[in-house]
Amino acid sequence: MNDSIVVDVVRVFTDEQVKFGNELGIVRLTDASRGREQRIATQLGFSETVFIESLDERGAGIRIFTPAAELPFAGHPSVGTAWWLASQGTPVERLRERAGDVAVQYEGDVTWIVGRAAWAPEFDMTMLDTPAEVDELDPGAFHHGEHYLYAWIDENAGRLRSRMFAPAMGIREDEATGAAAVRITALLDRDLDILQGRGSRLRTRRSAGDDILVGGRTVFDRQLTL
């Protein structure tokens, strides 16, 4: 019996030159990994790790873990997993997550997923005056909770600068946060183009009802074996 666990690592929400992006670990659930999901996610240390439970003509069933807890929904794992499945020759129309079914759309090199603000954590949203203030934030100043801080780069164009700190999830700083992008889009009630972290890019679109699309580019980075 092979007890090794293969982890594909992708970077989600890269810029146009496929730089930056938030690392995501993707694991096909096997006997070696089943029941050890939280331990594996903690060991890997990525802001999120996805475990693919099932794959059929209706879509894929996934579970999402931070280093500290399981999440019912998260944006960068959803976008990254949808892209990775397509790269394996198995594109999907939806992902079955704990929060509900997450629709998927492929548009050139951008993968979109459809989320709802109600599925996302209740981030402490703070607007700052300038992007420079966002740049100067110290992750060590955040000891509890989940904090999303942002400022307008160009309000007329809907361009934001943001950073996210979530010690409650075991995440010192998140490079790109799709769930927070869904929440801020609902809060500001407009489509957004978000520059987060060191240089990651997220885009959002409002849709019917409470649905909000979040999308971006993803690239394969490396493979690990545990």
Side-chain angles (χ1 to χ4, degrees):
M1 178 179 176
N2 186 359
D3 292 332
S4 63
I5 298 168
V6 176
V7 184
D8 278 358
V9 182
V10 300
R11 286 184 285 112
V12 188
F13 299 125
T14 71
D15 66 7
E16 289 80 356
Q17 289 74 45
V18 295
K19 296 180 181 178
F20 308 109
N22 196 358
E23 290 184 322
L24 172 70
I26 301 174
V27 180
R28 288 189 185 272
L29 206 58
T30 64
D31 290 342
S33 56
R34 194 179 307 275
R36 299 176 56 202
E37 292 91 346
Q38 185 61 71
R39 191 185 317 170
I40 293 167
T42 303
Q43 178 182 350
L44 288 169
F46 302 133
S47 57
E48 280 104 5
T49 299
V50 164
F51 296 85
I52 300 175
E53 293 187 300
S54 60
L55 179 62
D56 54 42
E57 66 278 2
R58 295 184 299 277
I62 68 172
R63 296 178 68 185
I64 303 167
F65 289 81
T66 76
E70 183 173 7
L71 298 179
F73 164 78
H76 112 265
S78 300
V79 170
T81 302
W83 176 89
W84 182 84
L85 286 166
S87 77
Q88 302 296 303
T90 53
V92 294
E93 294 183 357
R94 65 190 64 253
L95 298 169
R96 296 185 292 273
E97 304 185 18
R98 292 299 186 261
D101 283 0
V102 175
V104 174
Q105 298 178 19
Y106 300 102
E107 189 177 286
D109 62 352
V110 175
T111 301
W112 298 87
I113 61 95
V114 182
R116 296 177 181 173
W119 292 349
E122 294 187 4
F123 300 95
D124 180 9
M125 298 280 188
T126 303
M127 183 176 179
L128 302 180
D129 291 331
T130 67
E133 290 181 73
V134 178
D135 293 341
E136 293 165 2
L137 292 166
D138 177 10
F142 300 89
H143 306 289
H144 309 284
E146 295 130 20
H147 306 270
Y148 189 80
L149 300 97
Y150 66 97
W152 288 112
I153 298 172
D154 182 339
E155 186 171 0
N156 289 334
R159 296 185 63 225
L160 279 183
R161 172 75 175 110
S162 71
R163 292 173 72 186
M164 198 281 273
F165 312 95
M169 299 180 185
I171 303 168
R172 188 170 188 264
E173 178 171 2
D174 201 27
E175 173 62 25
T177 316
V182 170
R183 278 239 178 235
I184 194 65
T185 299
L187 177 67
L188 299 177
D189 193 26
R190 60 181 299 180
D191 301 353
L192 297 172
D193 185 348
I194 302 170
L195 179 69
Q196 186 177 338
R198 297 171 302 143
S200 298
R201 186 182 180 196
L202 306 84
R203 286 178 274 179
T204 67
R205 295 175 183 165
R206 293 163 299 168
S207 188
D210 296 330
D211 288 349
I212 294 172
L213 286 79
V214 57
R217 296 175 176 84
T218 302
V219 63
F220 180 81
D221 193 83
R222 64 195 186 278
Q223 190 173 84
L224 305 174
T225 302
L226 303 181

